[in-house]
Amino acid sequence: MKIGIVIHTNTGHTLKFAQAIRDKLTAKGHEVDITGLRTQGVISSGIIPIVRTNFSIKNPPDLGEFDAVLIGGPVWAFKASPVIMRYLVEDVRTLKGKKALAFVTMGGGGGDRALRMINEELEASAADVVEGEKLKYFFKFKAGALEAAVERVCEKLGA
Ligand SMILES: Cc1cc2nc3c(=O)[nH]c(=O)nc-3n(C[C@H](O)[C@H](O)[C@H](O)COP(=O)(O)O)c2cc1C
């Protein structure tokens, strides 16, 4: 399969998760491409609501060429990353016929809500959405947690 991974990462945790997924899928013979969304402007963290969100995404990838797409980002203020949500709402057109899986990293809570938010947008784009994955990063990933999550991602994709 040709698989596109699109992430937003601020401190690199989601990138580590994405790279581990890519390495496993590549070892299984799939072709994988990771795009980290780059932004310009002020992104509200959601924690201080008074901060206005006024940013644009500089490199929104077109997902047309992929058989499956993975969308990943951090949980911010118990919600999905605003960068990921903006990308899905404004830049992603139809995902009909493509498998889609969301993944998030977080310090503590809000992962289920964040996954739901991303999945709703993926469904609105007509993707064949499979169950997402959330992974805690508290100073580090727990021993074995990253590998187990990567394994589940591959299973859910049928890869
Ligand atoms: C602005 C901000 C808000 C956050 N809000 C939450 C939260 O609500 N729940 C949570 O579990 N972690 C929260 N975190 C922690 C991040 O989700 C976590 O560190 C994540 O792994 C960061 O991913 P990244 O390194 O890819 O940016 C927050 C971090 C930041 C910077």
Side-chain angles (χ1 to χ4, degrees):
M1 278 195 285
K2 205 163 177 192
I3 300 167
I5 303 182
V6 180
I7 58 164
H8 169 225
T9 188
N10 191 37
T11 45
H13 311 161
T14 309
L15 176 62
K16 275 193 190 148
F17 193 4
Q19 287 170 332
I21 294 170
R22 178 200 56 200
D23 293 348
K24 190 74 176 191
L25 288 170
T26 304
K28 287 171 181 279
H30 301 285
E31 197 182 319
V32 184
D33 184 78
I34 299 179
T35 304
L37 296 175
R38 288 187 284 111
T39 59
Q40 190 165 29
V42 180
I43 310 166
S44 170
S45 65
I47 288 172
I48 311 167
I50 203 141
V51 175
R52 289 242 172 80
T53 299
N54 181 18
F55 70 92
S56 57
I57 297 172
K58 294 205 279 189
N59 61 334
D62 186 296
L63 300 174
E65 64 180 299
F66 300 111
D67 306 305
V69 295
L70 277 66
I71 306 290
V75 175
W76 275 10
F78 297 94
K79 291 188 193 166
S81 147
V83 178
I84 286 296
M85 294 310 292
R86 171 78 65 88
Y87 170 65
L88 290 172
V89 170
E90 292 189 358
D91 300 308
V92 174
R93 300 288 163 257
T94 181
L95 296 175
K96 206 169 165 55
K98 299 180 197 299
K99 269 193 183 172
L101 180 147
F103 62 100
V104 294
T105 65
M106 60 201 197
D112 288 326
R113 183 180 180 197
L115 287 176
R116 256 198 322 273
M117 288 172 72
I118 298 173
N119 283 345
E120 275 173 19
E121 288 307 322
L122 292 171
E123 274 158 18
S125 299
D128 173 11
V129 181
V130 300
E131 190 193 3
E133 270 296 323
K134 50 184 199 281
L135 187 58
K136 269 191 194 170
Y137 190 106
F138 191 66
F139 296 108
K140 58 183 172 115
F141 291 122
K142 251 197 210 160
L146 176 63
E147 295 75 10
V150 168
E151 209 52 65
R152 284 193 299 274
V153 166
C154 292
E155 269 169 36
K156 288 170 190 175
L157 288 174

